[in-house]
């Protein structure tokens, strides 16, 4: 969960797994023409805005499914349990916008154009700066556990 400067709250899922003794997280790249050539510092945790009366976990699970085309792992999110997802099978929902600007042509674009697994060092480079502390929180939550010995499917 994160509240931005405007007071809006977002909820998301930072999916993680262990591969060859290395912790990896799944990040999403925003879709559409504005983001097409942006990379470092422009990736995000799959998330979405929480409306009044919505439960944070429900929003996080909904947004993860909308942005990846996959349900989040079926375990308590606070658990930070490990998960897996094949990025090649991810499919995002879409949004419509006029493109090119002032052309009168409305096109559909994916909200997220791709997802990829990154180790924590690379994830720190790719993520929006405001979301990097979530990587630190994940590491702190997993401290003392044997992440490299957990099996993934």
């Amino acid at each position: 969960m994160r509240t931005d400067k405007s007071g809006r709250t977002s909820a998301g899922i930072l999916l993680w797994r262990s591969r060859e003794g290395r912790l990896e997280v799944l990040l999403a790249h925003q879709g559409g023409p504005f983001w097409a050539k942006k990379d470092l510092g422009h990736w995000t945790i799959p998330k979405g805005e929480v409306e009044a009366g919505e439960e944070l976990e429900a929003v996080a699970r909904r947004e993860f499914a909308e942005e990846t085309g996959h349900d989040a792992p079926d375990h308590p999110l606070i658990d930070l349990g490990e998960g897996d997802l094949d990025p090649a099978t991810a499919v995002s929902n879409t949004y419509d916008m006029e493109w090119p600007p002032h052309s009168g042509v409305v096109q559909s674009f994916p909200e997220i154009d791709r997802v990829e697994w990154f180790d924590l060092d690379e994830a720190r480079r790719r993520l929006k700066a405001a979301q990097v502390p979530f990587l630190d929180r994940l590491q702190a939550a997993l401290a003392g556990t044997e992440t490299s010995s957990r099996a993934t499917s």
Side-chain angles (χ1 to χ4, degrees):
M1 177 184 78
R2 178 175 185 274
T3 302
D4 67 15
K5 294 176 187 172
S6 68
R8 295 178 303 201
T9 300
S10 295
I13 293 176
L14 178 57
L15 192 65
W16 67 274
R17 69 181 185 184
S18 182
R19 284 290 190 261
E20 299 175 9
R22 206 177 60 194
L23 186 62
E24 297 180 335
V25 293
L26 186 77
L27 302 181
H29 186 269
Q30 296 180 112
F34 179 75
W35 302 103
K37 295 183 180 179
K38 297 182 186 304
D39 189 42
L40 298 181
H42 294 283
W43 288 69
T44 185
I45 296 167
K47 63 173 180 45
E49 194 170 324
V50 178
E51 300 295 331
E54 288 187 300
E55 295 290 326
L56 294 175
E57 183 172 334
V59 172
R61 288 183 178 282
R62 177 190 72 220
E63 293 296 324
F64 188 88
E66 285 180 2
E67 294 181 0
T68 67
H70 293 269
D71 290 334
D74 191 23
H75 52 65
L77 298 185
I78 194 87
D79 175 77
L80 290 177
E82 193 170 339
D84 202 1
L85 182 148
D86 179 357
T89 64
V91 179
S92 177
N93 56 330
T94 60
Y95 66 95
D96 294 335
M97 69 178 276
E98 182 180 8
W99 192 261
H102 312 294
S103 67
V105 177
V106 176
Q107 296 186 51
S108 290
F109 297 97
E111 187 174 342
I112 298 297
D113 63 13
R114 65 190 181 277
V115 296
E116 291 184 37
W117 290 100
F118 296 105
D119 66 35
L120 292 185
D121 288 339
E122 187 62 22
R124 288 178 198 290
R125 293 173 24 120
R126 303 280 180 135
L127 260 179
K128 294 178 179 185
Q131 294 179 9
V132 170
F134 290 109
L135 300 177
D136 299 330
R137 292 179 196 171
L138 173 63
Q139 278 188 294
L142 297 176
T145 64
E146 292 294 322
T147 59
S148 62
S149 67
R150 292 189 180 201
T152 60
S153 53

